[in-house]
């Protein structure tokens, strides 16, 4: 029986560990440097109020992959949940994503869908032919009023730079709807596990062939002791940042607690640049099937990640991608190590994407059996294929 090491107990590592232990001839050693399982999806009961807290910020599970949806439900019961986000702006509070209700309320109109579409189209800056950055994309797409009230301030705070410094592609992921659908996601399946995400991870790792080393970071010097290593920590961290640090945004959470209901909604984004924080999340609203007299909320501030900070969002500007190419080349020289998950591939990934990639990776490994030299170096491409080819 081959011995496999997996660094990290988030969904990337936990799903891969379970699948290899359950369906292959492997024993798995999982190393988790934190004192809990689940990575940034970790959930825990608040000792003061009994509310189930999303310890590293809101996590709403959503996917259009039916196999992924069916898979997670084998390890935990999901409560029905629709993510409805509100935007706090200088002009009032509105629904996100921008939809027909947002447009009518913001402009004081009573448009039907086709009228609203024509109206928003007329707001766009037609002098911008090919947007070169986020700001130009927004101005071409929705015009100055919607851009300045909904996108400018929030984006500047979230990324720590002017939107004109960010690629246009970021805004292409933010839809405008010309109906009254205020569901933040457009995926087929959506929910939150009733017992929390950590319980799901515990069940994934509760296998006789899996041994978990809690509070223990994986040591690079131990690679030779294993048939293969799957590393879900940061790619540059694995190499001790020898070429420099890849840039991430991190988050700071400031807790508040009171009686009753603080803001009447799970998440409110604060879009005005004069407000120093990006959003507030009130966690008892993530479990509408529970009842709590008291409430807990977290005010969220975004910052550039420094040494020791929790890493959340890869920035991936041109200088980061250039450094990433160098780390990809280093990774190719590690024959017994594969890099998985959000940090290992330096991509922003939702939970369902991470789980899907680990399921796909496990299936490929099990097909190739004991041929680790053919196992993928990454669970997903950290760079476009043509760029990665040049780096190698």
């Amino acid at each position: 029986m081959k011995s496999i090491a997996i660094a990290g107990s988030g969904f990337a590592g936990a799903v891969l560990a379970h699948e290899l232990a359950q369906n292959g001839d492997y024993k798995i050693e999982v190393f988790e440097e934190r004192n809990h399982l689940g990575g940034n999806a970790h959930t825990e009961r608040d000792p003061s109020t009994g509310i189930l807290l999303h310890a590293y910020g809101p996590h709403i599970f959503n996917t259009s992959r039916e196999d992924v949806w069916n898979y997670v439900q084998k390890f935990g019961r999901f409560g029905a949940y629709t993510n409805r986000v509100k935007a706090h702006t200088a002009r009032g509070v509105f629904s996100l994503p921008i939809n027909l209700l947002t447009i009518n309320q913001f402009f004081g109109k009573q448009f039907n869908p086709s009228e609203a579409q024509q109206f928003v189209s007329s707001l766009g800056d037609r002098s911008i032919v090919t947007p070169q950055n986020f700001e130009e994309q927004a101005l071409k797409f929705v015009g100055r009023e919607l851009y300045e009230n909904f996108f400018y301030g929030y984006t500047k705070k979230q990324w720590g730079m002017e939107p004109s410094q960010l690629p246009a592609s970021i805004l292409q992921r933010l839809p405008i709807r010309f109906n009254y659908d205020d569901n933040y996601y457009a995926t087929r399946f959506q929910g939150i596990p009733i017992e929390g995400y950590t319980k799901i991870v515990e069940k994934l790792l509760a296998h006789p062939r899996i041994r978990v080393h809690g509070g223990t970071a994986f040591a690079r010097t131990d690679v030779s002791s294993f048939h293969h290593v799957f590393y879900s920590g940061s790619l540059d961290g694995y190499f001790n940042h020898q070429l420099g640090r890849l840039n991430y945004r991190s988050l700071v959470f400031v807790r508040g607690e009171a009686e009753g209901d603080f803001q009447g909604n799970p998440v409110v984004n604060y879009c005005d640049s004069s407000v120093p924080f990006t959003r507030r999340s009130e966690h008892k609203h993530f479990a509408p099937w529970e009842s709590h007299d008291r409430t807990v909320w977290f005010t969220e501030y975004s910052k550039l990640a420094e040494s020791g900070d929790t890493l959340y969002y890869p920035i991936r500007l041109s200088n980061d991608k250039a450094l990433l190419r160098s780390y990809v080349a280093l990774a190719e020289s590690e024959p017994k190590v594969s890099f998985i998950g959000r940090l290992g591939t330096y991509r922003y990934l939702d939970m369902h994407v991470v789980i899907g990639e680990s399921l796909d990776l496990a299936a490929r490994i099990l097909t190739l059996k004991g041929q680790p030299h053919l196992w993928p170096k990454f669970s997903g491409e950290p760079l476009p294929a043509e760029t990665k080819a040049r780096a190698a």
Side-chain angles (χ1 to χ4, degrees):
M1 189 176 294
K2 304 293 194 302
S3 182
I4 300 289
I6 294 180
S9 70
F11 276 117
V15 170
L16 185 61
H18 181 85
E19 290 302 295
L20 294 182
Q22 181 73 16
N23 301 306
D25 190 25
Y26 304 104
K27 60 179 181 180
I28 315 295
E29 305 280 335
V30 176
F31 295 84
E32 174 51 65
E33 65 179 350
R34 301 182 194 181
N35 60 4
H36 62 72
L37 301 178
N40 285 2
H42 174 63
T43 46
E44 59 191 21
R45 285 286 172 189
D46 178 43
S48 173
T49 63
I51 295 168
L52 186 65
L53 301 181
H54 297 215
Y56 297 90
H59 282 70
I60 293 88
F61 195 89
N62 71 102
T63 183
S64 290
R65 275 187 61 165
E66 190 168 3
D67 62 329
V68 170
W69 179 241
N70 291 336
Y71 184 82
V72 295
Q73 290 188 102
K74 294 192 298 184
F75 301 95
R77 188 161 61 96
F78 279 66
Y81 184 89
T82 300
N83 191 25
R84 293 187 169 94
V85 177
K86 304 305 176 189
H88 188 287
T89 78
R91 294 259 293 266
V93 179
F94 303 93
S95 291
L96 280 180
I98 294 174
N99 57 57
L100 187 55
L101 180 62
T102 312
I103 295 165
N104 280 333
Q105 288 183 332
F106 186 81
F107 291 103
K109 303 293 185 180
Q110 296 181 351
F111 290 133
N112 63 33
S114 61
E115 291 169 339
Q117 191 164 5
Q118 291 174 11
F119 176 75
V120 171
S121 178
S122 73
L123 299 176
D125 187 340
R126 297 182 183 180
S127 69
I128 302 172
V129 179
T130 305
Q132 299 300 307
N133 55 59
F134 181 104
E135 181 164 281
E136 290 185 358
Q137 177 72 15
L139 293 174
K140 178 181 175 63
F141 193 28
V142 299
R144 186 163 296 279
E145 275 191 280
L146 290 174
Y147 166 64
E148 290 184 346
N149 279 274
F150 289 92
F151 298 124
Y152 172 76
Y154 188 89
T155 303
K156 183 178 179 179
K157 290 184 289 185
Q158 177 72 2
W159 294 102
M161 63 187 73
E162 290 291 330
S164 58
Q165 297 175 271
L166 293 167
S169 59
I170 293 178
L171 185 59
Q172 292 167 1
R173 297 193 295 269
L174 300 175
I176 286 185
R177 298 186 183 137
F178 297 102
N179 56 33
Y180 289 105
D181 180 9
D182 63 349
N183 183 353
Y184 195 77
Y185 300 119
T187 46
R188 291 175 60 196
F189 309 104
Q190 188 174 168
I192 292 179
I194 290 174
E195 293 185 294
Y197 293 103
T198 301
K199 290 293 184 183
I200 292 177
V201 172
E202 288 174 354
K203 292 175 183 177
L204 282 165
L205 297 177
H207 191 283
R209 290 185 181 178
I210 298 176
R211 182 183 176 193
V212 178
H213 305 268
T216 306
F218 177 79
R220 187 180 172 190
T221 53
D222 290 337
V223 168
S224 60
S225 303
F226 296 94
H227 185 63
H228 202 75
V229 175
F230 295 94
Y231 192 82
S232 72
S234 65
L235 177 60
D236 54 329
Y238 176 83
F239 294 102
N240 200 29
H241 310 288
Q242 67 185 67
L243 303 177
R245 288 183 179 272
L246 292 168
N247 285 310
Y248 285 85
R249 296 297 289 177
S250 188
L251 300 174
V252 175
F253 298 96
V254 178
R255 176 187 168 115
E257 179 181 336
E259 292 288 335
D261 190 339
F262 174 68
Q263 64 183 16
N265 200 66
V267 177
V268 177
N269 287 2
Y270 283 76
C271 302
D272 194 331
S273 56
S274 67
V275 179
F277 50 87
T278 53
R279 63 180 180 175
R280 281 178 167 150
S281 54
E282 189 171 4
H283 287 224
K284 73 177 182 180
H285 294 308
F286 295 127
W289 44 86
E290 296 182 0
S291 178
H292 300 276
D293 293 331
R294 294 187 66 77
T295 191
V296 174
W297 68 90
F298 290 89
T299 302
E300 190 171 313
Y301 297 81
S302 178
K303 66 184 290 286
L304 182 67
E306 300 174 283
S307 178
D309 287 341
T310 300
L311 305 178
Y312 285 88
Y313 308 110
I315 296 179
R316 288 180 70 96
L317 295 181
S318 57
N319 57 324
D320 297 300
K321 290 182 179 179
L323 183 57
L324 177 59
R325 284 192 286 272
S326 298
Y327 276 118
V328 167
L330 274 183
E332 295 290 353
S333 68
E334 294 277 334
K336 296 183 68 175
V337 183
S338 294
F339 297 87
I340 63 175
R342 179 176 52 92
L343 301 184
T345 61
Y346 193 59
R347 296 174 298 150
Y348 178 74
L349 302 173
D350 288 329
M351 289 180 289
H352 67 282
V353 177
V354 169
I355 292 170
E357 286 192 353
S358 285
L359 288 174
D360 296 341
L361 177 60
R364 183 169 176 182
I365 290 169
L366 293 169
T367 299
L368 294 170
K369 298 182 180 179
Q371 303 181 73
H373 62 287
L374 297 177
W375 294 357
K377 179 56 61 177
F378 295 95
S379 59
E381 292 292 343
L383 290 162
E386 67 276 7
T387 309
K388 180 175 180 291
R390 288 199 298 272

